[in-house]
Amino acid sequence: MSLDERLFGWLYRALARRRTRPEAASEHAVFLEDVADRLSLVASALGGRAFAVRRAERVGGVQRATLLLPVVIDAYPSAVLNMAAYHYRVAFSVRSELLGFSMAGLQATPASRAQATLLAVAATRFALERDLPQMADLLVALRPESRESYTLPATASAIDTLAYGDPLDEDPVEGVAALHATPPSNQSELVAALGGWGPALARDLPDLAPAFARHALLFGELLLPIDKAPPTLIGDPSQDAREHAGGTERKAPARDEVDVLTLRSKEDENPVVHSFEKVHTLDDYSGGQKRMDGEDHLEEQLEALEDLDLRGVIRTGQTASSVYRADGLFDGGLAGGEDDEETRRGVSYDEWDGKRRRYLRDWCTLYPSSPPCGARPEVVSERMGRVRREYAAEIKRLRAAFEAIEASRAWRSRQREGDALDMDQVVMRSVDMVQGGRVEERVYMHRRRHARDLATLVLLDVSLSSDSYVDDHRILDVSRDSLLVLGEVLGPASDEFGVAGFYSHTRRDCRWLPLKTFAEPWTMGAARLIALQPRGYTRIGAALRHGIAELGELPAKRRLLLLVSDGRPTDYDRYEGRHGIEDVRQAFREAEAQGISPFALTIASKPDASFVRLFGAGRFRTLPTPAALPSSLAEVYAQLAMGA
Amino acid sequence: MAEPSDQPAAWYRPVGEEVVVFEHCYANRLPLLLKGPTGCGKSRFVAAMAERVGRSLITVACHDDMTAADLLGRHLVRGGDTPWQDGPATRALREGAILYLDEIAEAREDVLVVLHPLTDHRRELYLDRTGERLVAPAEMMLVVSYNPGYRRGWKELKPSTRQRFVSMTFGYPAAAVETEIVRHESGVDAKNAKRLIALAHKIRGLEELGLAESASTRLLVNAGVLIRDGLAPRLACQVAIVQPLTDDTTLAEALSDVANMVF
Ligand SMILES: Nc1ncnc2c1ncn2[C@@H]1O[C@H](COP(=O)(O)OP(=O)(O)O)[C@@H](O)[C@H]1O
Ligand SMILES: [Mg+2]
């Protein structure tokens, strides 16, 4: 393991201990982490394209394909209403994004942000309610009640008029009613309207920003679009200076935007990417950046960045400087690369660019390593003994299940002898006897011993994320154990079975570790599995494509490609977010197109909606605890082996 | 297995060029393959076309265990007698009917090969049990359907089979047409029909559900029937659309959320 990897492993584990759930919430509170997947699906359905959900640092809003939502909603006296508020907010933000409203071209002060958001509400609501008439009723139910807290009645009236379409008889702020009647319907009209009305609104409604805050739960606020953010330097102390000047908001850093600002910043001289291996598995990863690989395009990286939770990328003061230090270390750590044993020829594979719907030709180079050394025999026997003891019940149960499968395997009809009568042949025989033709003697059915027409390749993610712990189990240990269990269960029947590990260091260096080739006996594979150490990052697509190529060479009629991983495509060079997901999905499609059945087993504490996007419905199984893996792997194998 | 579908007056709302194509195929004795997701009107189309050309329709729902005998026929044992019974394919040739093999990819390839002589210039079937050679009359036509999005395991149609057919793709009709279909089929009122279509469009845009699993016209018709019969629209969507589509709880919740926003 190289220095940067070790350092990062340490950083990761330190961060993993943090928890994110806010305390002091009522029993009716709805937490974002419990409903994020659901909301992201709702948003994607409403928007007609994929939307991700992230927690907002402040009020939140929407930035292209990312909804920033409050971490908890506890403003209403029932869980139903709190959930409904999330629904309203999601539907509203998606609509606002489809209309293209943002803070682009506007001054990012709290006052003008509140003005812009309020002016955009009317047009957004209009479009929303035309599409979903129910939303009007929902808004009535969710509208905050008391007006007492407004210092100025004019503000109350303006908010009522613009946000809720509830104009008073007379218009205490001249022109607000007119704005409501013909609200700005796109971004340029919004900018123009604020040019005209901004000064008047600022004069007549000096308390707008704090007053609107109570309503922002439902509407969010307009944000800078991701690529319009002005440059700022990471850790630049002057960043504090651009924090908002208004009242309570001063202390809250506007990270929803700030982290994005960062990225833009170093674009020219020293492009940085944000993501580490393992970052994805963390709810609350905060901080980190690294050098990206050569010539890859920042434009595309922004796309990946957008999908990620970037809150940590910029921290001012202490935190930021420590992140910076880490960055310096990476430079040194990476330069040497790791063991350069492999100077052998690499194989090129395409990668799918989901955004442009085209392949990046020969984008990845994969180096098949020679089989790694196995563990020493005493280590192997010690470990195997432990696996056999620990999973004794499991192994017994699964063996019985496999025997049952064998028993139900295809019967061979028209045999001279066998275990059962072939009724079709018996009938034909009596027909022949009546008609006086040649009498058929082959009237038995015989059970086939093995279906030799199935070949399976298991792809094991050995990247650093497998070095992390879920439920006190190290992921790599558990996936290793599960393969050992499967080997025990299959026994000598395992000859059409291959196992390979994979990891990567950018697209130029994807590695393939043959752990058990199809020809080798399980004992070889077991020894290598036991010696396996986590390393590198996770470029799943290239590994899948190599697996497809290997399976494609086998004569078997049915071919299975089983991926065991945490379901997080990650690599230095922007292999993450939507790009990574779409590439994996495409590789799954390629497998299917070649008659190979792909299936993924992923370990995740709760079901993650992104897995459906990653692998396709019915193409994966999520395991809540790593402990479930050994039996699941064997079960899935049994199901797939038997099915179809 | 073979179910003679003789529902009178199959109502079919043309969506594109499919009726013209059918007529040309029929006149020129070319077999036809209909591709498309489930519930988008393929079976209904075939029923309507059979009526249009005035032939009876013989439908076979293909499946894994289907044997050649299931298509061609077999001898039965009746006392000391062994009468021959025609299978649906044989019957279609004798009667000059439209033979419709639904979900043909479900059938095993070695079974489908017995139909190969029927799909080229020979237009005949050979019954090896009886030694009979049957030539298809001009009125007889073979139509098969296939759902490309729905691939269970390794099933896909082999080129050797699919290249024997003239092929058309069926998709979900445009909103106005689909509204008309749902209204006609379910009798639901215009407002709810429009909402059903709006809901379907949102669900179909969701890539988390593959095309194969997406909200079909059939599901909308079912929901429409329940609504017309007085079931609360949200509940109708839940039981007729959401639950049939997915077993995944998160996905089901999200789809219900969307249904509740539309209704
Ligand atoms: N173009 C159409 N015209 C009339 N009814 C249609 C049409 N498309 C779909 N339907 C309705 O949808 C239902 C399902 O269609 P069906 O033909 O059974 O689908 P498929 O065979 O493609 O699975 C039909 O029973 C009918 O009510
Ligand atoms: Mg059908």
Side-chain angles (χ1 to χ4, degrees), chain B residues 6-19:
Chain B
D6 37 21
Q7 350 159 284
W11 179 82
Y12 181 76
R13 167 71 165 84
V15 173
E17 254 50 85
E18 66 272 28
V19 176

Side-chain angles (χ1 to χ4, degrees), chain B residues 38-39 41-44 100 102-103 145 218:
Chain B
T38 181
K42 299 186 294 296
S43 302
R44 176 61 63 88
Y100 179 44
D102 205 359
E103 292 293 358
S145 80
R218 178 186 297 127

Side-chain angles (χ1 to χ4, degrees), chain B:
Chain B
M1 195 133 315
E3 33 180 82
S5 341
D6 37 21
Q7 350 159 284
W11 179 82
Y12 181 76
R13 167 71 165 84
V15 173
E17 254 50 85
E18 66 272 28
V19 176
V20 183
V21 173
F22 180 92
E23 283 176 339
H24 282 276
C25 287
Y26 188 75
N28 292 282
R29 302 179 189 89
L30 289 171
L32 184 59
L33 179 147
L34 311 178
K35 290 190 268 189
T38 181
C40 67
K42 299 186 294 296
S43 302
R44 176 61 63 88
F45 170 71
V46 178
M49 290 308 105
E51 254 169 47
R52 189 180 179 92
V53 298
R55 307 309 305 179
S56 62
L57 173 66
I58 298 176
T59 300
V60 180
C62 298
H63 57 88
D64 232 355
D65 300 332
M66 194 171 71
T67 62
D70 290 335
L71 281 176
L72 300 181
R74 54 166 51 89
H75 288 286
L76 305 175
V77 182
R78 290 273 153 77
D81 236 9
T82 58
W84 169 261
Q85 190 189 47
D86 279 344
T90 312
R91 203 150 48 83
L93 261 74
R94 292 198 206 282
E95 296 173 10
I98 308 287
L99 175 62
Y100 179 44
L101 303 184
D102 205 359
E103 292 293 358
I104 192 173
E106 291 293 304
R108 292 199 314 270
E109 194 71 16
D110 59 317
V111 174
L112 294 180
V113 293
V114 307
L115 296 177
H116 280 186
L118 185 61
T119 53
D120 52 34
H121 63 279
R122 292 171 282 177
R123 282 183 46 91
E124 62 181 27
L125 280 183
Y126 177 66
L127 311 179
D128 69 338
R129 289 312 302 172
T130 61
E132 194 177 356
R133 188 177 300 278
L134 274 175
V135 176
E139 309 77 57
M140 190 270 160
M141 180 177 183
L142 176 63
V143 184
V144 304
S145 80
Y146 161 56
N147 181 351
Y150 174 71
R151 241 183 268 145
R152 216 181 60 204
W154 291 263
K155 271 170 205 146
E156 214 191 343
L157 213 48
K158 294 236 163 48
S160 58
T161 298
R162 59 189 298 164
Q163 292 195 6
R164 292 168 175 273
F165 295 89
V166 172
S167 304
M168 280 196 287
T169 297
F170 277 55
Y172 301 120
V177 176
E178 196 170 22
T179 311
E180 185 188 329
I181 294 171
V182 169
R183 287 202 64 184
H184 181 277
E185 293 291 299
S186 67
V188 76
D189 61 285
K191 187 183 89 185
N192 280 308
K194 270 181 86 171
R195 289 185 175 181
L196 282 170
I197 307 301
L199 175 60
H201 281 239
K202 293 191 164 49
I203 295 177
R204 287 171 193 164
L206 205 55
E207 57 185 290
E208 279 76 6
L209 281 166
L211 178 65
E213 299 113 316
S214 216
S216 67
T217 310
R218 178 186 297 127
L219 292 189
L220 305 185
V221 168
N222 289 350
V225 167
L226 294 177
I227 295 172
R228 197 242 320 122
D229 203 45
L231 196 64
R234 288 183 175 188
L235 182 55
C237 291
Q238 174 71 18
V239 297
I241 298 175
V242 176
Q243 291 305 328
L245 278 178
T246 180
D247 294 327
D248 179 301
T249 20
T250 308
L251 204 47
E253 278 172 350
L255 295 182
S256 305
D257 290 346
V258 176
N260 295 349
M261 287 177 176
V262 173
F263 281 92

